[in-house]
Amino acid sequence: MNKVNIGNNVFIPMLVVIVGANVEGKANFMAVGWITRVNAQPPMLAIGINKAHYTPLGIRENRTFSVNFPGADMVEKTDYCGIVSGRRTDKSKIFKVFYGETKTAPMIEECPLCMECKVVETVDLPSNTLFIGEIVRAYTDKLFLTDGKPDFKKINPLLFTMPDNSYWAMGEYIAKAWYVGKKFKQKNE
Amino acid sequence: MNKVNIGNNVFIPMLVVIVGANVEGKANFMAVGWITRVNAQPPMLAIGINKAHYTPLGIRENRTFSVNFPGADMVEKTDYCGIVSGRRTDKSKIFKVFYGETKTAPMIEECPLCMECKVVETVDLPSNTLFIGEIVRAYTDKLFLTDGKPDFKKINPLLFTMPDNSYWAMGEYIAKAWYVGKKFKQKNE
């Protein structure tokens, strides 16, 4: 074993989204890198947010939040949402805001893909809260669809790595999933 | 609002890892796309796994699991781990396996980055289980380090999108985080 021990506080590549919530009736947005799908049926997402942040107040207030996927061309505004806190700065006018079925999850018109979620479970961890939300509805623009489904090569989402604190685009196509491994399967049977 | 409603079952871009667990004393590996960091201190990850899978048996048995990041050149074996179940196929010999401090989380020597985790919380969701694990130790090879930290441009992790079922590489550098947004901040002050 030639591997070196690099401690335990190692960050993994992240997808960058803008989470929206109404705090005391006003739309607020924050950049979030800790997100994953967590349940197949019904479809659920989880987002991990530091307890000190302002946005969780609105998520707890309305039991809803939005997840908005900025295109790489929106990197300035996305990063801004991660730099300034809604506690001190009004972020309700940065984007064109729209609402869907939940009525209380502010979504971003400029983002190629938006989802409104209702909170189904809250997991209290030492420094962060994990909000598990059921996806109520997702919205996109027709130009980001291929065969009626969102096409992430067109959406051009932002990725993020730490501690180099860098944003990245999604890169080249590598292979087809649930397919390319069949070659290895055949070799080993 | 020109957005179209595309239902609620929309997948978001994923990072592909190989999760390892010992099931009844034998190393087993599965491809997992639902993963995120969830807590800052102590460092914790969450992985979402369908309840029908074999690997959760081992995670529950030992209360440990590993998270291994395959480079894009490992796509065949990674996909294979997502195609065949440990219930029917012995996957313990596919990789060179090593163990760390937990002794029961099998890690993959060929993967540029490996982490061993101990389970701190299990969230039971309708179709999936969310295992929240504290990162005990992470391991890499010196060639993947820049300034002593894992460099994901060198690690070359695999990304994954559905329903096109495609693997992607990480792409071009876009901008510096907690920095590029300062331009927008200055314009708006």
Side-chain angles (χ1 to χ4, degrees):
Chain A
M1 218 276 284
N2 294 314
K3 293 247 186 303
V4 288
N5 171 354
I6 49 169
N8 67 350
N9 197 9
V10 173
F11 289 91
I12 68 177
M14 295 161 252
L15 177 67
V16 181
V17 297
I18 304 174
V19 168
N22 278 359
V23 187
E24 296 179 356
K26 189 185 277 183
N28 188 57
F29 299 100
M30 72 175 291
V32 167
W34 295 359
I35 179 167
T36 182
R37 182 81 175 245
V38 291
N39 197 67
Q41 275 306 334
M44 293 180 190
L45 294 172
I47 52 172
I49 303 182
N50 189 292
K51 289 180 185 179
H53 282 301
Y54 185 65
T55 307
L57 298 177
I59 300 177
R60 290 180 193 275
E61 183 188 332
N62 302 296
R63 308 281 299 163
T64 60
F65 62 87
S66 71
V67 173
N68 306 275
F69 293 77
D73 59 327
M74 290 177 67
V75 68
E76 266 193 36
K77 284 189 181 180
T78 305
D79 193 53
Y80 173 78
C81 288
I83 288 176
V84 302
S85 168
R87 231 182 274 280
R88 284 176 297 274
T89 307
D90 178 2
K91 289 187 261 185
S92 68
K93 305 281 193 295
I94 306 169
F95 305 108
K96 269 192 217 166
V97 174
F98 72 99
Y99 291 87
E101 200 176 301
T102 60
K103 313 277 191 206
T104 52
M107 289 178 280
I108 300 173
E109 180 95 31
E110 295 93 325
C111 282
L113 178 64
C114 308
M115 298 177 177
E116 51 175 334
C117 302
K118 59 177 183 192
V119 175
V120 291
E121 197 156 336
T122 301
V123 184
D124 187 48
L125 296 171
S127 55
N128 291 65
T129 304
L130 191 66
F131 292 103
I132 300 179
E134 183 177 332
I135 305 170
V136 174
R137 273 192 193 168
Y139 305 85
T140 190
D141 302 273
K142 280 186 183 158
L143 72 155
F144 299 114
L145 295 172
T146 295
D147 301 330
K149 302 285 180 186
D151 181 330
F152 280 97
K153 207 56 194 166
K154 293 178 181 171
I155 288 170
N156 197 17
L158 274 176
L159 307 170
F160 176 42
T161 55
M162 282 174 67
D164 56 326
N165 303 346
S166 300
Y167 293 116
W168 306 88
M170 213 171 78
E172 60 178 318
Y173 175 82
I174 300 287
K176 195 162 175 59
W178 292 302
Y179 179 80
V180 67
K182 287 183 185 173
K183 292 180 202 166
F184 186 81
K185 187 168 183 272
Q186 282 157 4
K187 274 184 261 173
N188 284 270
E189 269 173 352
Chain B
M1 220 275 284
N2 295 314
K3 292 247 185 304
V4 289
N5 172 353
I6 48 169
N8 67 348
N9 198 8
V10 172
F11 290 91
I12 68 178
M14 294 161 253
L15 178 68
V16 181
V17 297
I18 304 174
V19 169
N22 277 1
V23 188
E24 294 177 359
K26 189 185 278 186
N28 189 57
F29 299 100
M30 73 175 291
V32 166
W34 295 359
I35 179 167
T36 182
R37 180 81 177 247
V38 291
N39 197 66
Q41 275 305 337
M44 293 179 189
L45 294 172
I47 53 171
I49 303 182
N50 190 292
K51 290 180 185 179
H53 282 301
Y54 184 66
T55 307
L57 298 177
I59 300 178
R60 289 180 193 277
E61 184 188 334
N62 302 297
R63 309 281 298 164
T64 60
F65 61 89
S66 71
V67 173
N68 306 274
F69 293 77
D73 58 327
M74 292 177 66
V75 67
E76 267 193 35
K77 284 190 182 179
T78 304
D79 193 54
Y80 173 79
C81 287
I83 287 176
V84 303
S85 169
R87 233 181 273 280
R88 286 176 297 276
T89 307
D90 178 1
K91 290 186 262 186
S92 68
K93 305 282 191 293
I94 306 169
F95 306 107
K96 268 193 218 163
V97 174
F98 73 99
Y99 291 87
E101 200 175 303
T102 62
K103 313 273 190 211
T104 52
M107 291 178 278
I108 300 174
E109 180 96 31
E110 295 94 323
C111 283
L113 179 64
C114 308
M115 298 177 179
E116 53 175 333
C117 302
K118 60 177 183 191
V119 175
V120 291
E121 196 156 338
T122 302
V123 184
D124 187 47
L125 296 171
S127 54
N128 291 66
T129 303
L130 191 65
F131 292 102
I132 299 177
E134 183 177 333
I135 306 169
V136 174
R137 271 191 196 173
Y139 305 85
T140 190
D141 302 274
K142 280 186 185 160
L143 72 157
F144 299 115
L145 294 172
T146 296
D147 300 330
K149 302 285 179 184
D151 182 330
F152 281 97
K153 207 55 195 170
K154 293 177 181 170
I155 288 170
N156 198 16
L158 273 176
L159 306 170
F160 176 42
T161 55
M162 282 175 66
D164 56 325
N165 303 345
S166 300
Y167 293 116
W168 307 88
M170 213 172 77
E172 59 177 320
Y173 175 82
I174 300 288
K176 194 160 176 59
W178 291 303
Y179 178 81
V180 66
K182 287 183 186 172
K183 292 180 202 168
F184 185 80
K185 188 167 182 273
Q186 283 156 3
K187 275 185 257 174
N188 282 269
E189 271 174 350

